[in-house]
Amino acid sequence: WCVPCLVSLDTLQELCRKEKLTCKSIGITKRNLNNYEVEYLCDYKVVKDMEYYLVKWKGWPDSTNTWEPLQNLKCPLLLQQFSNDKHNYLSQVKKGKAITPKNNNKTLKPAIAEYIVKKAKQRIALQRWQDELNRRKNHKGMIFVENTVDLEGPPSDFYYINEYKPAPGISLVNEATFGCSCTDCFFQKCCPAEAGVLLAYNKNQQIKIPPGTPIYECNSRCQCGPDCPNRIVQKGTQYSLCIFRTSNGRGWGVKTLVKIKRMSFVMEYVGEVITSEEAERRGQFYDNKGITYLFDLDYESDEFTVDAARYGNVSHFVNHSCDPNLQVFNVFIDNLDTRLPRIALFSTRTINAGEELTFDYQMKGSADISSDSIDHSPAKKRVRTVCKCGAVTCRGYLN
C-alpha cells in the first residue's frame, strides 16, 4: 500500500481466471484456477420463501457473481457483517431525518445494497492496509485499523517509515563516535553522564526526568547488550495500537488496545526531515487545508523540521489535545547532532485500553507551551485551525 501500483492483485487474479490462465507469482495455479471462495455478499432477496444472497467470488470478476441460497453459504462472519451493514445504513438514514426505506423482506433497496458493497470493499482495503503496515513496522506492538464511522478507506498518499527520511540535501549521520563500556548502565557512569544529564529511566523503564530534559540512550558503540535499562526508545513501540476513524469529525485517530502505565514510552514521531524554510512554505499550504503535520526540531536551534504529512508511522494519525496524555521528549542515540533529536512520546498518566492517544501539537519537547515560533505578522498571517479536542482546557485553535 505504500508503493502505488497500476494494477491490483485482485484485478490480475480476475483477469487470469477469466482467460483461464495460471500464474504462480500471483497465486493462480491449475489446482485453484476454478476454486470458488466467498469474498463478500452484495445483495439479498427472497424467492418462493427461500432466501438468496448475491455472492462476490474472491479472485473472480463481478460478471461471475451469482445468487446462492442461504443454506449453501458457510460464511457466518460475512452473513453477520452483511446484517450489521444493513442495520447501520438504516440507522444513518433515520438519524439524517431522511425517508426511511420501508421494511421489505423480499428484496433490498438499491441504495442499501450499494452501501453494503462499499462497506465490504472498504473492509477489504483496510485489512490489506493493516497487513501492509504490520509488514513494514519494525517494532513489537501490532497495528490494527478500524472504521465503523464512514466509508473512508486507507489514505492514498501516505508512506509508512520507521525512521527519519532526510529530504534531498540533508545528511543524517546515524553512527555514534563513542559508546560506554558499562557492565551495568543503571549504576555506572554511562552515556547520559557523558552528555552532562541524568539517566532518563527508573528500574521500571519509566521516564523520571522532567519535560525539556534530553534523553541520551546507549548507542551502537556501547558494550552493553540489548537488555540494557538505557535502551527504551530504540526498542520501538511495545503496545498494540489501533488507527481508528473518529466520530467527532477529527478524521483518523490512534487508540491503545492495552493498558499503558504512566511515564512509559509509547511511540516515536517520525517523518521527512526538511529545512525550516521549506517548512514555512509547506506550513502555509497545510494551514489553508486545516491540517498540521510539522514538528519543529528546536531543541537547540530551528534549522530543521519533521514533516509527517506523507512519510510517517502511527504517530501521523495521533490527534491533538489541549489536555493530552502523551508528552514530547528529545532523544539522542546514534545521532548526537543536537540539531536533529529524535522525538519520543511518553505517557503522562495511566492510559486505559480503548483510550485515544493525544499530544499537544504546540509542545516541542518542553513543559511549556511557547508561541515564539508562531509568526503573527501581517505579511505571514496564517489561517487559524480550529481545535476540536473537546477538552475543558481547550485553547480554541491549533495554531
Side-chain angles (χ1 to χ4, degrees):
W1 212 271
C2 296
V3 179
C5 58
L6 297 178
V7 182
S8 69
L9 177 62
D10 278 353
T11 301
L12 291 174
Q13 290 178 337
E14 290 172 5
L15 288 172
C16 283
R17 287 199 164 100
K18 185 177 181 180
E19 300 298 329
K20 303 296 183 183
L21 299 173
T22 61
C23 182
K24 290 184 179 180
S25 62
I26 60 171
I28 303 298
T29 63
K30 288 183 179 180
R31 177 172 293 185
N32 66 17
L33 179 62
N34 295 312
N35 282 5
Y36 286 87
E37 177 187 348
V38 179
E39 185 169 27
Y40 56 86
L41 305 174
C42 310
D43 206 344
Y44 170 87
K45 67 181 180 181
V46 176
V47 179
K48 295 181 180 180
D49 295 327
M50 184 172 287
E51 296 179 276
Y52 289 85
Y53 285 86
L54 183 60
V55 174
K56 166 64 173 71
W57 300 104
K58 188 174 183 179
W60 291 87
D62 290 344
S63 59
T64 62
N65 291 1
T66 58
W67 287 96
E68 301 293 332
L70 173 59
Q71 63 190 35
N72 290 354
L73 297 176
K74 310 299 180 184
C75 49
L77 177 60
L78 295 180
L79 287 166
Q80 185 61 54
Q81 288 175 345
F82 185 96
S83 176
N84 292 344
D85 291 341
K86 174 186 173 183
H87 175 75
N88 289 339
Y89 176 82
L90 294 176
S91 298
Q92 290 174 19
V93 171
K94 189 174 183 179
K95 286 180 181 178
K97 297 182 180 180
I99 299 174
T100 305
K102 294 181 180 179
N103 185 20
N104 187 341
N105 290 328
K106 298 296 182 181
T107 60
L108 284 184
K109 296 287 184 180
I112 301 176
E114 181 182 356
Y115 174 81
I116 289 173
V117 170
K118 287 181 178 179
K119 283 299 293 184
K121 290 181 176 179
Q122 177 203 49
R123 197 174 288 115
I124 293 170
L126 291 178
Q127 181 62 52
R128 287 177 180 160
W129 184 40
Q130 176 180 299
D131 293 342
E132 179 66 18
L133 294 177
N134 283 293
R135 280 193 296 268
R136 290 185 172 272
K137 57 100 174 165
N138 63 358
H139 51 75
K140 177 183 176 181
M142 296 295 294
I143 303 172
F144 295 87
V145 180
E146 172 188 288
N147 185 353
T148 60
V149 175
D150 55 30
L151 292 170
E152 187 72 17
S156 59
D157 194 26
F158 175 72
Y159 304 87
Y160 193 94
I161 57 176
N162 291 296
E163 56 188 21
Y164 285 160
K165 174 183 172 62
I170 296 177
S171 176
L172 298 181
V173 179
N174 289 315
E175 184 177 353
T177 55
F178 63 89
C180 73
S181 56
C182 304
T183 55
D184 189 337
C185 294
F186 193 80
F187 293 103
Q188 295 176 267
K189 185 176 181 181
C190 192
C191 298
E194 292 292 338
V197 297
L198 297 174
L199 180 69
Y201 312 112
N202 62 23
K203 290 183 178 180
N204 296 319
Q205 300 185 346
Q206 296 167 299
I207 195 159
K208 64 180 184 180
I209 57 176
T213 306
I215 299 171
Y216 279 82
E217 290 196 356
C218 291
N219 56 59
S220 58
R221 286 188 175 272
C222 294
Q223 296 181 21
C224 53
D227 296 327
C228 169
N230 194 34
R231 296 183 186 271
I232 303 298
V233 172
Q234 59 196 268
K235 290 182 180 178
T237 300
Q238 302 294 300
Y239 308 102
S240 290
L241 306 175
C242 178
I243 300 170
F244 74 105
R245 196 71 176 169
T246 63
S247 58
N248 57 0
R250 291 184 299 145
W252 296 101
V254 178
K255 61 184 177 181
T256 177
L257 299 180
V258 295
K259 183 178 180 179
I260 300 175
K261 294 181 179 180
R262 64 186 297 270
M263 304 304 178
S264 298
F265 169 66
V266 180
M267 70 179 76
E268 276 194 79
Y269 191 92
V270 302
E272 183 184 11
V273 178
I274 59 177
T275 63
S276 297
E277 291 77 12
E278 175 63 14
E280 179 66 26
R281 186 188 68 80
R282 295 187 188 185
Q284 297 282 349
F285 174 74
Y286 295 152
D287 287 346
N288 290 331
K289 293 182 66 177
I291 59 175
T292 176
Y293 294 104
L294 299 176
F295 200 112
D296 295 333
L297 299 179
D298 55 2
Y299 170 63
E300 279 197 352
S301 65
D302 59 355
E303 291 183 49
F304 302 107
T305 296
V306 175
D307 182 2
R310 293 188 67 205
Y311 301 94
N313 59 4
V314 176
S315 64
H316 166 96
F317 302 96
V318 175
N319 280 313
H320 161 86
S321 176
C322 297
D323 183 22
N325 51 25
L326 299 179
Q327 171 68 51
V328 174
F329 281 85
N330 295 294
V331 185
F332 299 94
I333 306 176
D334 280 322
N335 188 346
L336 301 179
D337 187 341
T338 55
R339 300 173 304 165
L340 294 163
R342 289 164 68 164
I343 304 301
L345 300 174
F346 286 77
S347 57
T348 59
R349 56 174 174 78
T350 298
I351 307 174
N352 294 316
E355 190 174 346
E356 182 175 3
L357 303 176
T358 60
F359 73 94
D360 192 329
Y361 286 1
Q362 291 191 29
M363 280 192 179
K364 305 299 182 183
S366 65
D368 299 321
I369 298 172
S370 173
S371 59
D372 294 343
S373 60
I374 303 174
D375 194 330
H376 298 287
S377 62
K380 294 184 178 180
K381 188 175 182 180
R382 288 183 171 179
V383 177
R384 300 203 73 185
T385 303
V386 176
C387 179
K388 300 179 181 179
C389 75
V392 175
T393 56
C394 181
R395 298 188 296 273
Y397 296 92
L398 295 183
N399 55 356

